[in-house]
Amino acid sequence: MLDAVYAEALKLRRHRATWLMVWIYPIVVALILIGVLLYGAVAPAGEAGTTATAEQWINNTLIFWEIPKSAPGRFLIAGFAALVFAGEYGWNTWKLIIPARARWQLIAAKWVVVVGFVLISLIVTDLIGLIGELLGSLQGEAIPAGVTIGALLEAHIRAIGFALAPILYTVAFAGLFGVLTQSILATVILSIALVIIEGLLPLLAVLGHNYMPGISTPLIEVLPLYHVANVMAWAKGQGMTLALGPDAAIGFSFGASLAILSAWIAAAAAATQLRFARQDLN
Amino acid sequence: MVDSEPAETIALELRGIGKAYGRGANAKRAVDDVSLRVRCGEVYGFLGPNGAGKSTTIRMALSLIRPTAGEALIFGRHPTEKGALARVGSLVDGGTFYGFLSGRDNLRVLARTQGGDGARIDEVLERVELDRDAKRKVKGYSTGMKQRLGVAAALLDNPDLVILDEPANGLDAAGIQDMRALIRGLAAEGKAVFLSSHLLHEVEQICDRVAVVHKGKLLREATVGELLDVGDALRIEAEPGDAALAALGGRWPAQRTETGLTVQASRADTPEIVRQLAAANVDIFAIGPDGHSLEDIFLTMTRDSDA
């Protein structure tokens, strides 16, 4: 299995799309950091800004973990997953690798590589950001008292954990769309549509409750759209209460939403494997 | 077929394999009840016109397509069994590769996918004479180069069964000659080679046994010699034709053809026939066995099948 993952990584690590959709984060952040540091070195010293508390300062360093929760970030993750899963159909290369390895392992390797590359990219970006904060403190922006390595580490590990949910969800469905449509473009379009529908959920929930109250509420409770948004909301400390009307709202606990979302991710992954296992590759 | 044949010598076996697209009355049978055995040390030609079902059959053997009837066995094991395809090297669709990677990196990806370390990459690249172009991206390769890289990929894991789908496609005359030598060399090493082709001349030259397929059905399976053997007959080019007929007619039944005479006689009769014709003042320009080309036989078989 490790060999399959290595082969997949070997294939994609220097692909143009990987640079554009995955490695772009650390590159852009590093360039911005260099620019800011150079500016800080030559610009005249300004007035000291408002001093942040330790908690605020740590929270500010978690900004890059908002990427997989944001719509543009998820578009890029979906785009990369589309390339990885549907690319083999467009390149006509399944014929090369399927005789060499069990089908389920080829798909599993793709999940590992997509999630792994995105996490590596974000972790490196995060580290560059932290280095930037550290270097900034040498130029005068002091780190508030109370910021410890332990507190920093705990906050960042927690942020990685919360970022995993949208990453896994996006990759699981992009992978499924990729295997079903066998097209990069169609996969990207469907994945983007999913994120857009998720963004329109508050509006759709109100409309649904107004016109089809008997159906819309159970649908919202069962489908993953609300739960992925709720899990991401809980990452910020408070769950998402979805107003359906003046007298009705939906609100799930973090645990319940995570369980439902996990079930959907597992179902999408299983559906991908089942479809691929039975797929004819002409 | 001999059922008591040791399983280890049978590299590939197809048992009534078939593939139908669609269901019920509208089902289209791309491959219908094809059975054959490919043994180690032989080159087995799978011959048929375009659309005969050759590629579909190969894809079923490689587990790329699921058969709707029958089964394929690789060294006695189903292709979907763990490790069953580990002894198989294949070239399908003229070599499908990642265009954005170099030839060498494509082989590295394949070697890793196979679970190997790629130790044979240099050897196989050299064998197909691509070692100097190995660092170039595949998207810049010619059709022939991709075909040769495909052969390199097929040989990468030192397989015991090599499956080649139209291996001569895109190759120039020298490339075809090299490919022919390579394929015969693989058989000489004891490997089984199963190749599909619509190039009758190629199959005639390199295959030990041949299966002819048409419209998804296996029409005949035989050695090339058996297919070409049409009984005892000699073809004679001689002038004047009437005098030649008169000289032979009494002893050997003969008939005129567009290019000369066809005489019902064995090879051993040749000296006596020459003497008779010379005695009758007939000029002899050529004499030899009246063998049909594989092309003639193939066209006859497929025509009969259509009828």
Side-chain angles (χ1 to χ4, degrees), chain A residues 3 88 95 101 280-281, chain B residues 19 64 66 93 112-113:
Chain A
D3 281 322
E88 303 280 359
K95 289 167 199 161
R101 176 75 53 173
D280 283 345
L281 293 153
Chain B
K19 179 71 182 178
L64 292 168
R66 290 186 318 139
D93 269 0
R112 274 293 182 169
T113 308

Side-chain angles (χ1 to χ4, degrees), chain B:
Chain B
M1 288 181 200
V2 184
D3 283 326
S4 59
E5 204 168 351
E8 189 57 20
T9 65
I10 303 166
L12 171 66
E13 181 174 7
L14 305 180
R15 290 181 181 167
I17 205 162
K19 179 71 182 178
Y21 292 100
R23 289 183 185 179
N26 294 326
K28 184 187 176 302
R29 293 188 183 282
V31 177
D32 190 10
D33 194 25
V34 170
S35 296
L36 55 85
R37 282 178 174 181
V38 183
R39 300 182 184 90
C40 292
E42 77 172 346
V43 181
Y44 192 106
F46 201 45
L47 192 58
N50 291 334
K54 303 186 298 292
S55 294
T56 305
T57 306
I58 282 181
R59 283 164 197 178
M60 286 192 283
L62 291 170
S63 189
L64 292 168
I65 293 179
R66 290 186 318 139
T68 47
E71 61 180 351
L73 297 172
I74 308 280
F75 291 100
R77 298 168 67 192
H78 197 271
T80 53
E81 275 181 49
K82 191 181 176 187
L85 287 168
R87 295 175 71 180
V88 183
S90 60
L91 164 68
V92 185
D93 269 0
T96 54
F97 293 100
Y98 303 99
F100 50 89
L101 295 179
S102 69
R104 181 183 297 279
D105 279 347
N106 267 285
L107 294 186
R108 284 177 68 201
V109 167
L110 180 61
R112 274 293 182 169
T113 308
Q114 288 168 335
D117 58 0
R120 276 172 49 86
I121 289 175
D122 287 333
E123 184 190 330
V124 293
L125 281 170
E126 207 171 315
R127 193 162 183 178
V128 298
E129 294 176 12
L130 267 183
D131 41 335
R132 276 191 284 178
D133 295 297
K135 287 183 180 172
R136 280 176 55 196
K137 285 190 176 174
V138 166
K139 65 183 170 191
Y141 279 17
S142 67
T143 309
M145 289 167 80
K146 282 182 192 163
Q147 193 82 354
R148 283 189 279 145
L149 186 62
V151 174
L155 302 180
L156 187 60
D157 206 21
N158 197 18
D160 296 314
L161 167 63
V162 182
I163 297 178
L164 305 170
D165 189 9
E166 304 277 3
N169 270 5
L171 296 181
D172 56 18
I176 289 175
Q177 205 165 17
D178 291 344
M179 181 71 76
R180 203 182 294 154
L182 181 96
I183 290 170
R184 286 304 329 171
L186 293 172
E189 289 171 23
K191 298 180 193 302
V193 181
F194 181 66
L195 69 89
S196 79
S197 182
H198 66 277
L199 301 174
L200 305 158
H201 182 63
E202 277 308 304
V203 170
E204 190 173 340
Q205 289 200 34
I206 57 173
C207 293
D208 300 304
R209 287 197 301 143
V210 176
V212 180
V213 281
H214 184 51
K215 292 185 177 173
K217 286 184 180 290
L218 186 76
L219 299 183
R220 191 171 172 199
E221 186 193 26
T223 64
V224 172
E226 284 167 355
L227 274 181
L228 297 177
D229 184 16
V230 289
D232 284 343
L234 295 175
R235 185 180 49 79
I236 299 171
E237 286 177 37
E239 290 291 343
D242 291 337
L245 266 178
L248 299 173
R251 192 165 166 193
W252 296 283
Q255 63 182 58
R256 294 193 72 147
T257 64
E258 280 179 19
T259 55
L261 302 173
T262 301
V263 182
Q264 296 306 310
S266 70
R267 186 171 177 273
D269 295 325
T270 307
E272 184 57 28
I273 288 172
V274 171
R275 276 193 288 275
Q276 291 270 348
L277 292 174
N281 278 333
V282 172
D283 296 329
I284 306 166
F285 299 99
I287 185 165
D290 187 27
H292 289 237
S293 71
L294 194 54
E295 190 168 344
D296 297 333
I297 294 157
F298 175 76
L299 288 173
T300 306
M301 288 171 79
T302 52
R303 208 176 296 133
D304 290 349
S305 162
D306 284 338

